[in-house]
Amino acid sequence: MMRTPEDTFRAMLDGACRLQNGDRDQVDELAGFYAEETDVRHPMAPLGDTPLLSREALRQHFAAAGAAGLAGFRVEDVRVHHTADPEVVIGEFTYRGEGDWAAPCIIVFRIRDGVIVESRDYIDHLGLARATNTLDVLCTQLTSA
């Protein structure tokens, strides 16, 4: 039975939690939620958006993200908003972790035949930089650009 767009979104969030909590097998699982050719963008990325256009690019993205290993990483306040287009769902949630940090997120997904073909990820990148203790590095990158 094929997953619904909401099922795919929720399974992806679960995989992201498992990855950040040390389950490196989730790299391939997470990449598998995306089509071979996809279009994932982070329009609010502080250093500019670099589109991820393939499953392999997403695999590399998740491998790098998983290396951070955020202690106590979890997803809370999950809301799924359905749209008039049955392929499009909007996921609203908050990443949280030890040290009392939070990073609110909204992701607009286009999910076709159970895989993500397009995504616009609006994530609190500064909150994630604080959580990963890379805020100084980010500031340096922003001021030297």
Side-chain angles (χ1 to χ4, degrees):
M1 181 172 159
M2 191 179 331
R3 289 187 303 257
T4 66
E6 181 172 346
D7 292 340
T8 299
F9 163 65
R10 289 183 181 276
M12 190 212 56
L13 286 181
D14 181 61
C17 283
R18 291 172 187 263
L19 175 66
Q20 289 300 327
N21 283 296
D23 183 354
R24 301 294 292 160
D25 291 337
Q26 292 303 307
V27 169
D28 289 331
E29 291 288 325
L30 285 165
F33 288 120
Y34 292 82
E36 284 292 338
E37 293 182 17
T38 190
D39 187 352
V40 176
R41 297 179 188 259
H42 298 87
M44 306 294 284
L47 299 174
D49 185 17
T50 302
L52 302 168
L53 302 176
S54 69
R55 184 177 289 158
E56 182 54 35
L58 269 295
R59 183 176 283 108
Q60 293 172 19
H61 170 79
F62 290 125
L70 298 171
F73 185 88
R74 61 195 182 279
V75 175
E76 296 180 350
D77 309 320
V78 178
R79 291 189 184 105
V80 179
H81 305 280
H82 297 273
T83 69
D85 183 335
E87 292 184 344
V88 176
V89 294
I90 300 166
E92 181 181 2
F93 57 97
T94 303
Y95 287 132
R96 293 188 191 279
E98 285 181 15
D100 214 22
W101 63 269
C105 307
I106 293 176
I107 302 180
V108 181
F109 292 101
R110 178 171 298 279
I111 301 172
R112 184 175 301 134
D113 299 326
V115 292
I116 300 165
V117 296
E118 185 178 0
S119 175
R120 298 296 175 268
D121 303 12
Y122 300 91
I123 298 172
D124 177 3
H125 293 276
L126 294 178
L128 288 178
R130 278 190 215 92
T132 56
N133 294 315
T134 58
L135 195 54
D136 289 343
V137 171
L138 178 59
C139 288
T140 299
Q141 291 171 324
L142 287 170
T143 57
S144 67

